[in-house]
Amino acid sequence: MKPANNIIVIFGASGDLTRRKLIPALYHLYKNNQLPDKFAVLGASRSELDDVSFRDAMRQNLIDKENAGGTTLDDFCTRLYYQSLNTADRDDYGKLVPRLDALHAEYQTGGNTLYYLSTPPSLYGIIPACLAAHGLNSENHGWKRLIVEKPFGYDAQTARELDATIHHDFLEHQIYRIDHYLGKETVQNLLVLRFSNGLFEPLWNRNYIDYVEITAAETIGVENRGGYYDGSGAVRDMFQNHLLQILAMVAMEPPALIDADSIRDEAAKILHSLHPLDAEYLKNNLVLAQYGKGEINGRAVPGYRQEKGVAPDSSTETYMALRLQIDNWRWSGVPFYIRTGKYLPLRFTEVVIHFKTTPHPVFNQRAPENKLILRIQPDEGIAMRFGLKKPGAGFESEEVAMDFRYADLAENNVLTAYERLLLDAMKGDATLFARTDAVHACWKYVQPILDYKANRGAIASYEPGSWGPVEADKMIARSGRVWRQPRKA
Ligand code: BG6
């Protein structure tokens, strides 16, 4: 079912995210006839643009990056509008009122409005209050929803403050905190794989699982985002949100119902069950490191401290690895190893479930390990690894694979994360958005890492194109294990 007619107001419309993700996502949805019959986009930001120049810029980008063209592109672009606005000035928001009134009337939206905050985070608390000052938060005439980009807060306290500020003018049901990893098809597939198959779920616990690895490896560095990244680092940028959300999907109990609250209740329970961290534990189980100068895929790259926008003596981490535990019935005693880093040799995000080996070595040798590999990106799919007999005499076993790849499905036209999430927000489905309790549980869990970061000494370094610092190998080796390093295809 298509969403109801609505207007999307994008704050930060002249920014990078709008150009790279939001407008292309809306264009694809439009092309696939998934948007409401009547909808328009109103871009708003400080840049002095008008409807025509905004349309031209978006059109050119769609032509260059998405190979767009024809009447679909023309029709789509007629629905783009722009309002220049001093986003920090409450009075200036008065300009939005007649603009939105006119668009709502023209597109017969009944007042439905989706506000997208794609601005620097310093404005996340300001924009909602400015909208409210002009009555633009009122649901008396159509729904009003607010999508808030990450980072939601900077630490536990600022996240709480931000929540309180936004809640002053918007109710929780109006707030959609985006975590684009939850929009990835394969992250959602974790739930379907687990809860619609009799095969896996009986094994999905401490009795059969030895340990779990979650990896998000990137081949890019901080690119042109040094200014933002230096105040953030891998812990805030990837772990506090994306990786903990994936962890919740892997570890949660079956929800009572498939709806936003039931699923988010289970996710929150896992986040509340994470074994609390302290400095003593982190000394042995956390590795933070920063890339130095080097070469990746034949390209010379500067060290992190030489990147634009980064302090020359920065100790911000571009790599992190953590061994964590979940204190509940299902997972007691099962370690989860989580790592993420920039400038690693391969781009991939995966979850690896390592099953325990057989209780007794019948064939007088150590049997290959059984693994279930959930590949979130790229080359989305699921692979099983287990032992079978080596052909020939004797009973020697070797590891074999059974692979499923999404690309092999006849119907594999999956929505990208932003397409899925924009559509869900228009439909009022908050299942794949982080609820306030989950966000706070994540920050609460992560806070000791932030404190530890602030007080520890020099940061370890790793070479671009390597699998990260040796300290991370040593950390996992302490329990006799090694990280899975997929090979280049
Ligand atoms: C973003 C981070 O949230 O996720 C980036 O800010 C990171 O630093 C990106 O590169 C990774 O997303 P994806 O979808 O490319 O895995």
Side-chain angles (χ1 to χ4, degrees), residues 194-474:
R194 290 187 53 199
F195 302 133
S196 68
N197 292 297
L199 175 61
F200 303 112
E201 197 49 26
L203 305 182
W204 211 266
N205 57 54
R206 67 181 188 289
N207 296 322
Y208 299 98
I209 293 179
D210 187 19
Y211 67 105
V212 177
E213 269 179 273
I214 301 179
T215 299
E218 297 189 272
T219 48
I220 54 170
V222 294
E223 313 294 293
N224 50 5
R225 298 163 71 228
Y228 147 76
Y229 195 89
D230 207 32
S232 168
V235 176
R236 289 185 172 93
D237 186 53
M238 291 291 291
F239 177 71
Q240 182 273 338
N241 36 64
H242 306 325
L243 292 176
L244 286 180
Q245 293 291 347
I246 297 180
L247 171 76
M249 295 284 194
V250 173
M252 69 162 68
E253 295 301 311
L257 295 170
I258 294 298
D259 64 26
D261 272 330
S262 310
I263 293 180
R264 298 191 303 172
D265 283 347
E266 297 307 332
K269 271 197 231 161
I270 284 295
L271 299 166
H272 285 299
S273 314
L274 296 173
H275 185 76
L277 305 169
D278 61 37
E280 197 46 41
Y281 177 87
L282 290 174
K283 237 193 269 166
N284 297 317
N285 295 287
L286 170 73
V287 176
L288 301 174
Q290 189 182 75
Y291 60 77
K293 183 171 160 205
E295 202 177 273
I296 182 155
N297 295 329
R299 183 167 64 95
V301 292
Y304 176 72
R305 290 180 187 173
Q306 285 81 54
E307 299 276 15
K308 202 166 145 241
V310 171
D313 59 348
S314 169
S315 60
T316 298
E317 74 288 352
T318 58
Y319 176 99
M320 78 159 278
L322 175 71
R323 175 190 200 269
L324 62 80
Q325 307 263 8
I326 300 174
D327 288 342
N328 69 10
W329 196 281
R330 185 187 285 265
W331 294 112
S332 176
V334 179
F336 284 71
Y337 295 91
I338 304 200
R339 65 182 164 153
T340 181
K342 303 234 179 242
Y343 276 157
L344 299 185
L346 275 183
R347 173 176 185 253
F348 72 96
T349 304
E350 68 176 24
V351 176
V352 188
I353 311 289
H354 295 262
F355 290 94
K356 291 184 174 170
T357 48
T358 55
H360 172 68
V362 178
F363 299 113
N364 215 7
Q365 66 168 82
R366 204 181 134 89
E369 199 195 24
N370 294 172
K371 293 194 266 287
L372 185 65
I373 302 161
L374 308 160
R375 177 59 75 93
I376 289 168
Q377 64 184 20
D379 195 15
E380 291 81 353
I382 294 170
M384 262 210 259
R385 300 271 189 276
F386 49 94
L388 278 185
K389 183 179 167 308
K390 258 192 190 166
F395 281 101
E396 219 182 311
S397 63
E398 66 180 346
E399 188 175 289
V400 296
M402 240 161 67
D403 283 1
F404 156 75
R405 297 169 67 235
Y406 259 80
D408 296 338
L409 286 180
E411 178 55 62
N412 62 12
N413 183 19
V414 294
L415 296 181
T416 65
Y418 276 97
E419 291 167 30
R420 171 70 197 263
L421 295 172
L422 280 164
L423 202 55
D424 280 3
M426 285 184 210
K427 290 181 179 171
D429 181 351
T431 310
L432 300 175
F433 292 84
R435 203 170 56 187
T436 181
D437 51 345
V439 172
H440 294 301
C442 289
W443 277 122
K444 184 171 168 210
Y445 179 66
V446 163
Q447 190 61 45
I449 305 184
L450 304 179
D451 298 340
Y452 178 83
K453 257 174 60 153
N455 297 320
R456 58 114 215 265
I459 186 161
S461 151
Y462 63 99
E463 264 181 50
S466 73
W467 280 107
V470 289
E471 287 80 353
D473 297 336
K474 286 188 193 151

Side-chain angles (χ1 to χ4, degrees), residues 40-241:
V41 178
L42 177 64
S45 67
R46 283 171 199 248
S47 306
E48 288 292 336
L49 298 172
D50 57 15
D51 291 349
V52 175
S53 47
F54 181 60
R55 273 177 203 152
D56 287 349
M58 295 302 129
R59 164 193 287 275
Q60 197 52 50
N61 184 58
L62 288 170
I63 294 172
D64 296 347
K65 300 276 162 49
E66 308 294 325
N67 223 354
T71 50
T72 315
L73 178 63
D74 294 342
D75 293 346
F76 177 76
C77 288
T78 59
R79 293 160 183 269
L80 304 180
Y81 300 84
Y82 186 84
Q83 176 64 54
S84 66
L85 188 72
N86 178 354
T87 21
D89 177 0
R90 184 174 292 230
D91 293 342
D92 226 27
Y93 283 68
K95 290 180 189 159
L96 284 179
V97 177
R99 204 65 216 274
L100 280 172
D101 283 349
L103 288 173
H104 283 309
E106 183 179 344
Y107 287 91
Q108 298 159 30
T109 61
N112 295 333
T113 319
L114 182 61
Y115 301 110
Y116 200 116
L117 307 194
S118 166
T119 59
S122 53
L123 288 168
Y124 292 173
I126 294 174
I127 294 173
C130 294
L131 289 171
H134 297 273
L136 292 169
N137 59 338
S138 159
E139 294 202 295
N140 289 340
H141 182 56
W143 48 254
K144 304 291 177 297
R145 296 181 189 140
L146 192 67
I147 300 188
V148 189
E149 259 297 333
K150 66 167 264 252
F152 196 89
Y154 186 72
D155 53 19
Q157 191 186 335
T158 50
R160 263 196 310 276
E161 286 164 7
L162 177 59
D163 234 0
T165 311
I166 299 181
H167 276 140
H168 192 263
D169 300 304
F170 284 80
L171 299 174
E172 181 62 21
H173 79 266
Q174 296 176 279
I175 307 170
Y176 290 69
R177 298 172 193 79
I178 206 161
D179 185 310
H180 80 280
Y181 266 60
L182 288 178
K184 292 184 192 278
E185 182 75 17
T186 34
V187 173
Q188 296 148 43
N189 194 34
L190 273 167
L191 297 187
V192 178
L193 175 94
R194 290 187 53 199
F195 302 133
S196 68
N197 292 297
L199 175 61
F200 303 112
E201 197 49 26
L203 305 182
W204 211 266
N205 57 54
R206 67 181 188 289
N207 296 322
Y208 299 98
I209 293 179
D210 187 19
Y211 67 105
V212 177
E213 269 179 273
I214 301 179
T215 299
E218 297 189 272
T219 48
I220 54 170
V222 294
E223 313 294 293
N224 50 5
R225 298 163 71 228
Y228 147 76
Y229 195 89
D230 207 32
S232 168
V235 176
R236 289 185 172 93
D237 186 53
M238 291 291 291
F239 177 71
Q240 182 273 338
N241 36 64

